[in-house]
Amino acid sequence: MNNAVANIYGEQTPAVKSTTTEMMVGREAQEVQMAMYVAKKFPRDEVESYNRIMRACQRKSLAEQSMYEYPRGGQKITGPSIRLAEALAQNWGNIDFGIMELDQKDNESSVMAYAWDLETNTRQTKIFQVPHTRYSRRKGNEKLTDPRDIYEMVANNGARRLRACILGVIPGDVIDKAIEQCELTLKSGNTEPLIDRVRKMVGAFEKEFSVTKEMLEGYIRCSSDAFSENDFIRLRKVYKSLKDGMSKREDYFEIKSPKQETEKHRTKLDDKLKGKTDSKKEESKNEDASEINQKDMFEGTPFEMKDGEE
């Protein structure tokens, strides 16, 4: 007779990991250990790493992509781009960085961006969600179903977090010097002032593609007088794309129809006429008020003659 109490959880066998999973986990662990061992055995020469970064920033192709800019609240937000961050990590050395998609479900992806200094064991990690939607001013929120669109959306969002991770493990003064060198690289070889180059660029757009200065300012989202070196580079790329026939004006600028231009001109004219009318009404009102004030000046004063007085 068996007097043992039955197992309330049933006769369940423990989960067994597959051989493939165990091999993958073991391989990744060995790779991390080996990377840390190599980093400790061959530490970076900071002087040589710094010199490599400065030489990289002297390349004009990198300098042109080294900074990002976008308008916010009437000001320009600027900072090191992902391209400059990658160049910094590659030349600083002994840094493991990348983006990993952890999960994909419920029309969103869970993603991790990381940067790990293998020498100092300093690590920056950011885990975030990327909804499978794309926003545009014309169409609003658009659901993504194409795997390629989803991949590009995840990569674009991951690049911004990866940039922050890389910049978090590299000394700040090295980053500042890299930005300074990129700015010097952009300015070198340009004897003509930026404002004159912008004026010529505006004239070329208007002459060859009928793109006005207002359309360029709408694309950059600031006045042409405030265009920076990076803005000029962006416009030069657009000009080359239009020149080569790789794109159309509509891909970059808001093209208004003749009817819209007529309505806009009519609205401006109506506002101008309305302003003149309001101004005339205000002048008439002021004149009436002036007459009333003059009348009050001579009524009820001590110099007024009353009946019976001489």
Side-chain angles (χ1 to χ4, degrees):
M1 183 176 178
N2 188 6
N3 295 327
V5 177
N7 187 350
I8 62 175
Y9 295 103
E11 297 296 332
Q12 296 180 352
T13 57
V16 180
K17 294 183 179 179
S18 66
T19 306
T20 305
T21 303
E22 290 181 347
M23 289 177 60
M24 290 180 62
V25 172
R27 180 179 177 181
E28 289 182 0
Q30 290 179 359
E31 287 179 354
V32 170
Q33 291 176 0
M34 182 56 67
M36 294 186 68
Y37 171 77
V38 171
K40 293 290 185 181
K41 188 173 180 61
F42 302 100
R44 72 174 63 92
D45 182 349
E46 294 191 358
V47 175
E48 178 59 28
S49 298
Y50 177 84
N51 292 334
R52 285 201 304 266
I53 290 174
M54 292 299 106
R55 286 196 295 268
C57 293
Q58 290 173 5
R59 300 200 309 268
K60 196 168 185 179
S61 57
L62 175 61
E64 290 178 348
Q65 305 177 53
S66 62
M67 303 295 289
Y68 68 84
E69 287 185 0
Y70 63 91
R72 176 184 289 176
Q75 296 180 346
K76 279 190 177 181
I77 308 299
T78 183
S81 68
I82 180 61
R83 296 291 167 261
L84 179 58
E86 289 173 344
L88 290 171
Q90 292 163 1
N91 289 282
W92 190 243
N94 288 339
I95 293 180
D96 182 21
F97 60 94
I99 304 169
M100 294 179 61
E101 187 173 10
L102 305 176
D103 191 15
Q104 186 177 132
K105 63 180 181 180
D106 299 331
N107 296 322
E108 68 176 14
S109 296
S110 298
V111 188
M112 179 181 71
Y114 67 93
W116 185 8
D117 190 329
L118 299 171
E119 281 191 34
T120 62
N121 203 23
T122 303
R123 187 180 177 93
Q124 287 274 339
T125 305
K126 296 186 184 298
I127 299 176
F128 54 96
Q129 309 298 320
V130 181
H132 298 167
T133 56
R134 179 168 49 205
Y135 174 78
S136 63
R137 286 183 290 179
R138 295 181 180 179
K139 298 181 180 180
N141 287 325
E142 179 184 2
K143 185 178 179 180
L144 302 178
T145 56
D146 188 352
R148 181 175 180 179
D149 293 337
I150 294 174
Y151 167 78
E152 290 177 352
M153 177 63 68
V154 171
N156 289 336
N157 282 269
R160 291 194 290 271
R161 274 75 173 192
L162 178 60
R163 177 187 64 219
C165 292
I166 293 175
L167 297 179
V169 298
I170 294 180
D173 56 340
V174 175
I175 298 172
D176 293 339
K177 288 297 181 181
I179 295 173
E180 184 179 346
Q181 180 60 58
C182 288
E183 292 176 349
L184 290 175
T185 302
L186 289 176
K187 292 177 181 178
S188 63
N190 293 320
T191 57
E192 192 175 17
L194 176 61
I195 188 171
D196 294 334
R197 286 182 280 139
V198 169
R199 185 162 50 247
K200 289 182 178 179
M201 178 71 74
V202 171
F205 267 103
E206 189 165 4
K207 180 180 179 181
E208 298 188 29
F209 308 112
S210 298
V211 175
T212 63
K213 183 175 72 171
E214 290 74 17
M215 294 163 67
L216 295 175
E217 291 175 343
Y219 175 70
I220 300 297
R221 298 177 66 183
C222 73
S223 173
S224 59
D225 296 334
F227 282 1
S228 65
E229 196 73 47
N230 289 326
D231 295 332
F232 180 79
I233 293 170
R234 287 176 60 192
L235 290 178
R236 191 171 61 188
K237 291 179 180 178
V238 173
Y239 177 84
K240 190 176 186 305
S241 179
L242 295 176
K243 189 79 171 176
D244 295 341
M246 300 299 294
S247 58
K248 300 179 181 179
R249 293 187 308 163
E250 293 77 8
D251 297 334
Y252 302 101
F253 311 107
E254 184 178 355
I255 309 299
K256 295 182 179 180
S257 63
K259 183 178 179 181
Q260 290 176 322
E261 290 291 338
T262 303
E263 291 179 353
K264 181 180 178 181
H265 180 71
R266 186 179 300 168
T267 303
K268 287 184 177 180
L269 184 60
D270 292 341
D271 293 341
K272 188 175 181 181
L273 292 174
K274 184 180 178 182
K276 289 183 178 180
T277 304
D278 293 341
S279 177
K280 288 182 179 180
K281 288 182 179 179
E282 188 68 25
E283 291 178 0
S284 178
K285 185 177 178 180
N286 293 336
E287 289 177 359
D288 294 341
S290 177
E291 291 178 0
I292 293 173
N293 291 336
Q294 290 178 0
K295 186 177 180 181
D296 291 340
M297 287 176 61
F298 295 101
E299 289 184 357
T301 60
F303 301 100
E304 185 180 358
M305 300 292 291
K306 295 183 179 179
D307 295 338
E309 292 184 350
E310 294 182 357

